[in-house]
Amino acid sequence: MSTPCFEVWLIMHHADCTRPFLSANEAKRRLKSVAPGWSEGNTRFSDFLHGLDAACLRARQLDPTGEDFLSNPSTNVWQLVLALRSKA
């Protein structure tokens, strides 16, 4: 779960993200500013892979328990990443 939208998780691959967003569209505009080549219809994992560890750290700092998913901004995608890595 990501609040207000999944793009918060993508922003965290490139920059700190602690200020609340008024809308999902505002978060998408922020993502475009930190990842200028990003577009909603063309999101590629390879464009964000280099920032995966930083995104996990940033997201976990916002919500160390991974349970406060309604906080704005927030994302618990870091928990999925940890789970997938533990299975590898």
Side-chain angles (χ1 to χ4, degrees):
M1 180 87 156
S2 298
T3 302
C5 57
F6 180 74
E7 284 77 9
V8 167
W9 169 245
L10 299 177
I11 292 167
M12 290 184 184
H13 286 70
H14 294 279
D16 288 330
C17 182
T18 58
R19 184 184 58 81
F21 293 101
L22 297 175
S23 67
N25 284 333
E26 182 183 0
K28 291 174 186 181
R29 285 190 298 274
R30 171 80 170 125
L31 177 56
K32 279 186 170 253
S33 76
V34 298
W38 176 82
S39 70
E40 198 166 354
N42 192 25
T43 302
R44 295 181 309 254
F45 179 70
S46 60
D47 293 338
F48 296 91
L49 177 61
H50 70 281
L52 185 59
D53 291 331
C56 287
L57 178 65
R58 289 175 175 131
R60 198 170 195 171
Q61 287 174 335
L62 283 178
D63 178 18
T65 66
E67 296 174 4
D68 190 18
F69 52 86
L70 294 180
S71 181
N72 181 358
S74 68
T75 181
N76 63 358
V77 177
W78 64 268
Q79 292 176 305
L80 174 61
V81 172
L82 289 180
L84 291 172
R85 285 180 169 173
S86 73
K87 301 294 182 193

